[in-house]
Amino acid sequence: MPTPTIMYDCFDSFHKTPFGAVKQHSPCTFTLKFPRVMNITEPSIVMFRPGYKEKYVALEPTGDADPLYINYSCVYRPQDLGLHHYYFAVKQNGNRSYIKRKGAGRGAFDGTELFQLTVYDSEFDTPDWLKGGIMYQIFPDRFAKSDTAGIPPLPIDRVLHHNWHEIPEWQPDNQGRITNNDYFGGNLKGIEEKLSYLASLGVTVIYLNPVFEAHENHRYNTANYEKIDTLLGSTEDFTRFCAKARRRGIRVILDGVFSHTGADSIYFNKFGRYGETNGAFRDPNSPYRSWYSFTKYPNEYESWWGMTTLPNVNENNPDYTKYICGEGGILQKWIDAGASGWRLDVADELPDEFIDNLNKAVKAKGHENVIYGEVWEDATTKESYGVRRRYLIGGQLDSVMNYPFKEAILNYVKYGNADDFKNGIMTILEHYPKPSVDILMNFVSTHDVERAITRLAGENVGTHDRKWQSENALSDNEYVYGIALLKCAMTLQFFLPGVPCIYYGDEAGQEGYKDPFNRRTYPWGRENFDLINFTAELARIRRGCRAFEKGELHIIEATADYCVFNRVDYELGEAITIYLNKSKYSRRFKIEPAPGRLIKFQLMRSPNRQREAGYLQVSPYDFAAMMFTIEPNGAPTPINYSDLEEEFRDF
């Protein structure tokens, strides 16, 4: 009896069209395939939303011309927004059977998991200026300081490093506290002076970690949302910086920390920095008192993860919501000052109602303003505090920090499990709305995790404490190996769907374990220029092909040692194929045909000039890229190898 390789695969457009999340009320076609001798009858799709009754939709036979197999299809138009689940029911020889998900995307009779369908608002779209761009994340105290800006008077409890290259302070003080009160003096003027450098990397948007007045160097304990921190500059400095960046084609987005404030803030004022009788902690009649939840005033109150230095706010308190989200409130104030959007810290701790209001405030200043959320898991299945989140269905976030891609990329580059890599990437693409996919924040390092080069080539941090982390750095051999692996990871980061986000210093070879070692200063004067040039080349290729803006991803082949994939935009008629060799041996790749009728092609990068008709030779830990101009209709056109010889000569 013939057995089909696949009865159903939600990643395959033969079985499900369109691929990925679907718009509300738009058609989605599902197709099952069986050998005729299986005697399948009464196939149906069983669709439901969590908490609602199941819907059965019959599948009808199609494809009668095939003597061995029969296809069953139906068109489903989802009427409700949000997360849906589905599976299939059939009868075989009169007995009822069910086809459910087994593994990442395939259906099987012994499957146990449900398939997912995300339904989003048909009006949902995301800012076009981000698509195809490149993001650069800056921890403001540690990127660059300007000697012309001068050092303002320091608050008495701040300590300034005089050696830019020192390790950040990591030891507790004599009372056992981690104070985070050491600073290196990075400022807005310093970033402004490095705009030419950022432009050379192809950067189109800068994501700044918190810049508002705060009394720890990370500035996630906001003291005053209305002021730039004194060490960074002033509102005028921020506005000038944004304007100069915009003239270079670079926009700026800010980090918004709205689930809590600092205890040492104008709002809470636990330590009296802002007056003896001001703030919610010291004045029971303070206008900020209702923002916080005291269980026993004033010393017992709700705080972020039990950290009493970070009192939680009630985001839906009308006064707080108005202060942040109201007309002329904090969100709009800084957009007016030059920002082009916000990244929301710990988005899962912000109530839906607050994010709804936040979205309205940001978009009221222009739809092109972007809203990212810090979400570490699959954002479409995320639950927090017993609530299924609706981040990406419209009216809330535009997109999210893409931690699932980070894990898929780093694990693949380090360990080589190609199936896990493909499944991790395709699952997110299948679950997320296309507008969100196009601007996913794709990183391999952030301020919250160890540097990618350390993760790839160093000993696993595991449960090692700060003392161990401070004493362990990459050996010379580990560093060289780490650079090679990091190049492979960055190739995937730059060319998979979404927007690559470079964590400052990654491109210069900075290493480090977790906070604060991942927050060391940018190594000015000690840069790895080979890696910087490699990053600039990634940027050149990315900016040179519009298929990276919205193009589909097709993983052609992935193994433990190499990966071949393309990005295709049929509407624009552009496509590009990436050949990544992540092994220690040179590898010969057969040139993949263009995914449509070929008009012309261009070899964008070939690191090894050794060649053979129809093949590319790629050096160890390196990649090649070939771009195509196509007409989507018609069979792929063979490449004229004499033209390819010309490409090599001209390259």
Side-chain angles (χ1 to χ4, degrees), residues 119-136:
V119 181
Y120 64 99
D121 193 311
S122 60
E123 300 298 317
F124 178 47
D125 199 4
T126 53
D128 283 335
W129 63 266
L130 277 156
K131 298 167 186 175
I134 297 167
M135 188 180 296
Y136 195 89

Side-chain angles (χ1 to χ4, degrees), residues 79 110 117 140 183 197 203 210 231 236 243 248 261 278 281 294 326 370 387 418 474 496 530 582 584-585 590:
Q79 303 302 304
D110 59 347
L117 181 69
Y183 293 77
Y197 168 70
V203 171
L231 277 179
E236 292 72 25
R248 288 182 172 270
T261 68
N278 297 326
F281 185 87
F294 291 92
V370 69
V387 176
L474 299 178
L496 290 174
D530 172 66
K582 58 182 274 318
K584 61 182 178 181
Y585 302 105
K590 186 178 187 303

Side-chain angles (χ1 to χ4, degrees), residues 104 138 180 223 310 438 460 478 507 516 524 596:
I138 292 177
N180 297 309
L310 300 174
D438 292 336
N460 288 339
E478 287 173 335
E507 82 284 9
W524 299 112

Side-chain angles (χ1 to χ4, degrees), residues 339-574:
S340 293
W342 293 85
R343 174 266 190 189
L344 304 183
D345 185 54
V346 291
D348 58 332
E349 299 189 21
L350 300 174
D352 278 329
E353 183 181 348
F354 181 80
I355 300 180
D356 293 341
N357 287 317
L358 183 148
N359 178 283
K360 292 173 184 175
V362 171
K363 299 300 183 179
K365 285 294 181 178
H367 180 73
E368 71 277 7
N369 295 309
V370 69
I371 305 168
Y372 280 102
E374 179 194 11
V375 181
W376 288 54
E377 306 86 0
D378 183 329
T380 61
T381 60
K382 176 70 178 181
E383 290 187 12
S384 57
Y385 302 99
V387 176
R388 174 79 69 183
R389 305 312 299 263
R390 46 184 174 85
Y391 298 130
L392 300 181
I393 62 173
Q396 288 204 341
L397 307 178
D398 288 308
S399 197
V400 291
M401 299 183 72
N402 199 358
Y403 278 95
F405 268 28
K406 176 187 80 75
E407 287 301 301
I409 290 170
L410 295 182
N411 286 332
Y412 174 55
V413 170
K414 185 170 184 175
Y415 301 115
N417 190 316
D419 286 339
D420 285 352
F421 168 70
K422 290 184 290 186
N423 291 338
I425 298 299
M426 295 304 294
T427 295
I428 291 299
L429 299 183
E430 215 269 329
H431 288 181
Y432 285 16
K434 185 65 164 55
S436 296
V437 165
D438 292 336
I439 63 167
L440 278 167
M441 190 188 292
N442 290 343
F443 49 85
V444 292
S445 308
T446 75
H447 61 291
D448 284 326
V449 296
E450 60 265 49
R451 293 269 181 178
I453 189 173
T454 302
R455 165 84 176 268
L456 290 169
E459 182 178 341
N460 288 339
V461 64
T463 58
H464 289 303
D465 61 15
R466 282 186 165 197
K467 184 175 188 301
W468 181 91
Q469 294 178 54
S470 73
E471 296 170 347
N472 282 269
L474 299 178
S475 67
D476 290 345
N477 287 339
E478 287 173 335
Y479 181 80
V480 171
Y481 183 53
I483 291 294
L485 294 184
L486 181 57
K487 286 181 177 180
C488 295
M490 292 180 70
T491 300
L492 296 170
Q493 175 193 12
F494 267 67
F495 299 145
L496 290 174
V499 177
C501 180
I502 306 165
Y503 183 47
Y504 80 101
D506 265 10
E507 82 284 9
Q510 185 60 285
E511 61 178 282
Y513 282 102
K514 294 183 178 181
D515 170 23
F517 311 105
N518 57 358
R519 303 176 183 183
R520 294 190 65 170
T521 53
Y522 184 100
W524 299 112
R526 304 178 181 180
E527 305 96 316
N528 184 315
F529 285 105
D530 172 66
L531 187 56
I532 289 174
N533 291 335
F534 180 83
T535 305
E537 191 163 26
L538 292 173
R540 174 186 64 81
I541 294 170
R542 179 176 173 82
R543 300 290 300 277
C545 179
R546 293 195 63 192
F548 291 119
E549 296 177 15
K550 302 179 184 180
E552 300 174 7
L553 171 72
H554 303 287
I555 299 177
I556 298 168
E557 187 177 11
T559 73
D561 292 330
Y562 63 89
C563 182
V564 181
F565 62 94
N566 63 28
R567 300 287 306 280
V568 186
D569 190 317
Y570 291 106
E571 185 176 338
L572 293 175
E574 288 197 14

Side-chain angles (χ1 to χ4, degrees), residues 629-647:
T629 304
I630 60 172
E631 286 183 5
N633 296 323
T637 308
I639 292 174
N640 185 320
Y641 296 123
S642 62
D643 290 342
L644 184 60
E645 291 293 313
E646 291 294 327
E647 278 287 318

Side-chain angles (χ1 to χ4, degrees), residues 251-297:
R251 303 203 193 199
V252 177
I253 63 174
L254 292 174
D255 212 331
V257 187
F258 301 126
S259 70
H260 53 269
T261 68
D264 192 3
S265 67
I266 194 172
Y267 314 106
F268 201 76
N269 195 30
K270 183 174 183 176
F271 308 110
R273 187 189 298 268
Y274 295 94
E276 290 297 322
T277 59
N278 297 326
F281 185 87
R282 293 174 173 267
D283 178 8
N285 297 312
S286 167
Y288 309 122
R289 167 73 186 275
S290 63
W291 291 11
Y292 304 96
S293 297
F294 291 92
T295 54
K296 188 175 181 181
Y297 185 82

